[in-house]
Amino acid sequence: MRFQLLTACLLTVLTWHAAAESFSFTVLGKNGTPIVGVKAAGNDAALAQAQRDFAAMVRAATKIEDYRGGRGWFSLTLAIVGEDNTGEAEAAMAAHQLNRDILGDEGFLLHGQSNRKFILCAYSGRGVLNGVYKILEKTLGVVPPRPQAGLDYPERVTSSASITAPCWEKPAFDLRGLSLSSSLGWPRPAMDNWMSRNLMNFPGSSPQTFAGLYPSFSQYGFRQIMGGHTFHFWVPFKEFGETHPEYWPLIHGERTKQWYQGGQLALGNPEVIDLVVQRMLAYVDKYPTIEALSFGYNDNGKDGFGWGEDPLCLALDSPNDLPKPGSKRPRTWSTRYIKASNQIIARINQKYPKMKMHVYAYHWEMMQPPDCEVNPNLIVEFAPLYKCCVHAINDPNCPRNDLLAEWLTKWTEKTPNVYMRDYYFASPYVPLVTLDSLQKDLQFFRERKMLGIRPEIIPDAPDGQNLQGRDFAVWLRPSNYYERAWDASGLRYFALVRLAWNPDEPIEEIVNLFCRSYYGAKAGSLMAQYHLACDRNMMLSGHPGEPAKLQGDAERTDFINFGMYCSCWNWAVNIRGHSHRLFLTENRKHVGAAAMPLLEPLYQARQVAYQELNLLVLDRIEKDLDLMRQYLLFHGYQLKDESKTPEFLVQPSSGAVD
Ligand SMILES: [Zn+2]
Ligand SMILES: [Zn+2]
């Protein structure tokens, strides 16, 4: 039996080799000039973008301005399986026994048809884009580090590594996105390009923004999945508030008029369900390319989350929605909400069988899973508003995250269609999340077989506010707020998008790739030391592996705990707290010495930029140094401006402060 199996394996290997030899592929010739002619086999918008951007990325890296990807020693065909007329993409997949089940929509294959002829294929335009960017990363060794930097690399790439075809990869998660707040809902090219070039596919939209956004999605192969607080959109108070007050919940014996924040909809009323279904169907009729509608409830936090006690609504609840005796946890209304959502999507699916619908598991009362089935066409956005960002979600020593991990686990036992929203910004000067906790989170999400991630951050410059000729709005921020936020957190966001593709990519490699692409090779290796040292201190500030301590003399409960070493975005995140984490001391007299191991590689990198007369790199390093100056000033230390090594002009012990 064993012998027969072995023979079968050998035969498979032999057949495979006969069908597909391996060939070496690269992008630059010996003299550093591009040697690839790239063509798109088909008319898909993302395929055209892949062809255009292949040339643009090579131009940017090599700074050879006239490269257009026309003809070359190597020919590279970009193709979507089944859409290339020649059947070559399908043949390439077959030669390696690959198919859609194995690669998914967004995996890709680079296949050598001869030693000079290659085909890059996938089952979607987004898959081909992923392949183009991965191949360029592996050969040229740089990727766009942050939106503001665009394709502005600090130095010329003069040689390229070889890769061996066949070569295939696929993402760990189906949904890889960012939710961009404090900006307006229309296309923002700097962010979109950066996300696409870093293999993301899910910028998000809502019924209010979809019409303005989706025309820009097709070239990037972005997913048309909506989110957001949408109850007030589907059932407008302006339209029905006077004629049908019973569409809104009964709160303290009265029909609420809080239609935007503070009140939800009376989901037990069949007329409300009818109306939502009717409005949603009309919306899909108008925009038939939508993949998922949104039925996200309104934002809230008081009056029982605004769900109300209408008898028709109460009838949807389960006795298990109430807290167990002795528990500090609130009751939940998620059963009522998901039962209503199940009804709606089932009716939408009668006309549009593949349509999906986004629902929330957002806020303390609603993160608890429902006591009912979850329709497989519902996409659950798990949104733990107050998660600790120092510790991983499944860190048993984090007193804040343990109940979130428990609830998330229970949701994922009910449905695989869950993605994570997290909250990674707080202050433009302070990074919140550690690289270590990011990696552990993503590994946990993969273990739970989740759909992916879409944390809330703010966009980078230059189009952070996204005004595009429109007037400034009161809730937008001044321009440099956006830039500052990414100065402080850009590396973390970069790591996040890398880990969404592969949660096992070593953190050190991610940091090296970012630093090489952002600061250049020589200064970059010093800046990598700097960033890794900072992140290590932030990680250590969480006292990894130690049993949790709570703030004050609080007793640990089964609900909200405040861990002494925890932090999250709404805890008045500030420079004091961050600098304690960064320097690992509360004693200002010790801060100067504690800062030195961080400052030394930073200053060395700055000297490299001076020696190379590279102003772009110098300016980028100076942004990091500016943040450091702020953290140190808080403790009474001022750095000397002109010195080549870190020295203090003023420090607490000098008597100039206090
Ligand atoms: Zn924590
Ligand atoms: Zn202090």
Side-chain angles (χ1 to χ4, degrees):
M1 186 64 188
R2 178 171 289 178
F3 174 73
Q4 279 171 338
L5 267 181
L6 192 65
T7 316
C9 284
L10 276 173
L11 281 175
T12 315
V13 170
L14 288 173
T15 326
W16 186 82
H17 269 290
E21 287 178 66
S22 41
F23 296 103
S24 181
F25 175 85
T26 195
V27 174
L28 306 182
K30 290 228 158 53
N31 60 358
T33 56
I35 51 165
V36 180
V38 56
K39 66 168 197 280
N43 295 319
D44 183 271
L47 214 52
Q49 170 74 357
Q51 181 187 16
R52 263 196 312 273
D53 222 28
F54 183 96
M57 301 269 289
V58 172
R59 273 200 304 279
T62 58
K63 306 197 192 283
I64 294 174
E65 298 295 336
D66 59 355
Y67 175 66
R68 289 287 175 279
R71 266 178 299 186
W73 172 256
F74 288 135
S75 87
L76 179 65
T77 302
L78 309 177
I80 300 171
V81 180
E83 293 181 24
D84 60 349
N85 296 327
T86 61
E88 287 182 19
E90 194 154 7
M93 291 292 186
H96 305 291
Q97 285 145 13
L98 290 171
N99 55 48
R100 199 173 198 137
D101 287 341
I102 299 172
L103 278 186
D105 284 349
E106 295 202 8
F108 65 86
L109 165 70
L110 176 69
H111 164 73
Q113 296 165 313
S114 74
N115 64 336
R116 289 178 56 186
K117 200 169 172 322
F118 293 82
I119 182 167
L120 175 63
C121 48
Y123 291 90
S124 68
R126 184 63 248 174
V128 174
L129 282 163
N130 291 338
V132 159
Y133 297 129
K134 263 291 164 200
I135 284 169
L136 292 173
E137 173 201 324
K138 285 168 191 271
T139 51
L140 300 175
V142 287
V143 298
R146 66 180 272 189
Q148 188 194 45
L151 293 179
D152 214 352
Y153 297 116
E155 59 200 8
R156 219 160 83 79
V157 172
T158 54
S159 65
S160 69
S162 289
I163 49 178
T164 303
C167 149
W168 63 272
E169 268 191 54
K170 66 173 185 175
F173 297 101
D174 282 351
L175 297 182
R176 305 174 304 281
L178 296 172
S179 174
L180 302 171
S181 53
S182 296
S183 66
L184 299 175
W186 40 84
R188 43 182 95 69
M191 281 306 300
D192 289 345
N193 280 327
W194 180 80
M195 286 177 67
S196 177
R197 287 163 176 163
N198 284 288
L199 317 184
M200 301 215 101
N201 65 359
F202 185 28
S205 56
S206 69
Q208 295 93 324
T209 61
F210 185 79
L213 283 171
Y214 88 98
S216 71
F217 281 9
S218 55
Q219 65 176 314
Y220 300 113
F222 284 159
R223 303 290 298 269
Q224 298 185 17
I225 297 172
M226 291 182 182
H229 304 286
T230 60
F231 274 21
H232 61 271
F233 176 85
W234 300 117
V235 184
F237 189 81
K238 227 192 268 179
E239 209 176 328
F240 298 101
E242 284 199 9
T243 50
H244 292 282
E246 75 280 10
Y247 288 179
W248 281 269
L250 199 59
I251 297 176
H252 308 314
E254 277 181 44
R255 291 290 162 189
T256 183
K257 295 188 190 322
Q258 303 292 315
W259 57 270
Y260 180 60
Q261 291 199 334
Q264 307 298 346
L265 289 170
L267 296 182
N269 184 335
E271 280 182 38
V272 170
I273 303 298
D274 288 347
L275 183 59
V276 171
V277 169
Q278 188 194 95
R279 295 277 156 123
M280 284 185 169
L281 286 173
Y283 201 97
V284 184
D285 290 344
K286 197 168 168 192
Y287 303 106
T289 57
I290 289 177
E291 295 177 72
L293 293 152
S294 166
F295 192 53
Y297 40 77
N298 296 330
D299 211 347
N300 199 350
K302 53 180 186 183
D303 277 340
F305 217 78
W307 290 107
E309 59 266 9
D310 183 324
L312 289 171
C313 297
L314 291 173
L316 291 173
D317 296 345
S318 155
N320 292 325
D321 296 343
L322 301 173
K324 300 216 161 48
S327 173
K328 300 272 186 216
R329 296 182 183 183
R331 68 152 295 175
T332 183
W333 287 266
S334 59
T335 308
R336 177 191 302 190
Y337 170 56
I338 295 300
K339 278 184 184 168
S341 303
N342 286 342
Q343 291 174 33
I344 292 167
I345 190 61
R347 286 174 59 186
I348 300 287
N349 287 153
Q350 286 168 12
K351 183 165 180 193
Y352 294 103
K354 287 186 172 168
M355 185 58 56
K356 296 180 189 299
M357 190 170 84
H358 155 269
V359 293
Y360 274 131
Y362 162 75
H363 231 303
W364 295 118
E365 292 88 346
M366 299 299 293
M367 278 185 271
Q368 306 178 56
D371 186 20
C372 64
E373 299 289 298
V374 179
N375 185 297
N377 277 340
L378 294 182
I379 295 177
V380 180
E381 180 176 20
F382 188 81
L385 193 54
Y386 306 118
K387 175 174 159 284
C388 167
C389 285
V390 179
H391 301 113
I393 188 167
N394 60 338
D395 184 337
N397 293 313
C398 176
R400 170 51 62 104
N401 287 349
D402 57 357
L403 86 162
L404 301 173
E406 178 197 323
W407 286 337
L408 179 57
T409 299
K410 286 181 177 162
W411 274 102
T412 57
E413 283 163 358
K414 286 189 170 285
T415 170
N417 301 316
V418 181
Y419 73 84
M420 179 77 169
R421 184 190 190 83
D422 209 326
Y423 300 83
Y424 289 149
F425 73 94
S427 143
Y429 302 105
V430 175
L432 199 54
V433 66
T434 67
L435 298 173
D436 177 67
S437 70
L438 265 182
Q439 180 155 51
K440 287 177 176 149
D441 276 1
L442 272 288
Q443 287 171 341
F444 180 70
F445 302 155
R446 179 185 51 188
E447 188 186 309
R448 297 309 313 162
K449 298 186 166 52
M450 287 168 61
L451 279 181
I453 51 141
R454 194 168 76 98
E456 182 168 340
I457 65 170
I458 71 163
D460 196 6
D463 49 11
Q465 290 142 327
N466 199 18
L467 289 170
Q468 295 184 27
R470 266 89 163 185
D471 288 338
F472 188 72
V474 69
W475 48 273
L476 293 171
R477 312 297 186 124
S479 304
N480 85 344
Y481 182 91
Y482 300 87
E483 185 180 343
R484 289 278 196 190
W486 278 72
D487 290 348
S489 297
L491 169 64
R492 270 113 191 135
Y493 302 154
F494 179 82
L496 174 83
V497 306
R498 301 286 305 177
L499 295 166
W501 181 269
N502 171 17
D504 298 328
E505 183 171 12
I507 291 296
E508 213 175 303
E509 284 178 23
I510 294 174
V511 174
N512 283 332
L513 179 61
F514 175 87
C515 290
R516 189 164 65 239
S517 306
Y518 191 50
Y519 309 103
K522 205 168 164 196
S525 74
L526 292 159
M527 288 305 290
Q529 284 177 37
Y530 165 73
H531 284 299
L532 285 166
C534 289
D535 192 68
R536 186 180 145 77
N537 283 5
M538 284 172 65
M539 187 263 285
L540 290 175
S541 77
H543 293 242
E546 277 180 37
K549 280 195 188 130
L550 299 185
Q551 290 184 7
D553 290 326
E555 202 177 307
R556 189 161 177 168
T557 72
D558 72 341
F559 191 43
I560 304 175
N561 294 300
F562 291 83
M564 198 145 93
Y565 310 126
C566 297
S567 182
C568 73
W569 71 272
N570 73 326
W571 288 13
V573 168
N574 57 55
I575 287 176
R576 180 169 91 169
H578 178 65
S579 61
H580 286 167
R581 290 170 62 199
L582 188 62
F583 303 126
L584 294 174
T585 175
E586 305 242 349
N587 183 341
R588 62 164 39 177
K589 294 221 160 67
H590 297 162
V591 163
M596 279 303 155
L598 308 177
L599 290 168
E600 273 154 15
L602 187 53
Y603 270 71
Q604 287 164 16
R606 191 169 70 150
Q607 280 311 107
V608 167
Y610 268 122
Q611 282 153 13
E612 295 181 346
L613 297 176
N614 194 326
L615 181 61
L616 183 71
V617 174
L618 186 61
D619 283 347
R620 289 175 181 177
I621 292 171
E622 201 65 19
K623 287 160 173 278
D624 292 283
L625 187 50
D626 261 345
L627 286 168
M628 210 56 167
R629 287 190 182 108
Q630 301 222 27
Y631 307 150
L632 286 164
L633 271 177
F634 177 82
H635 294 283
Y637 292 81
Q638 185 182 344
L639 285 161
K640 269 187 197 169
D641 279 334
E642 301 304 327
S643 61
K644 292 179 180 173
T645 53
E647 285 175 65
F648 295 115
L649 179 67
V650 177
Q651 52 187 312
S653 59
S654 69
V657 170
D658 292 333

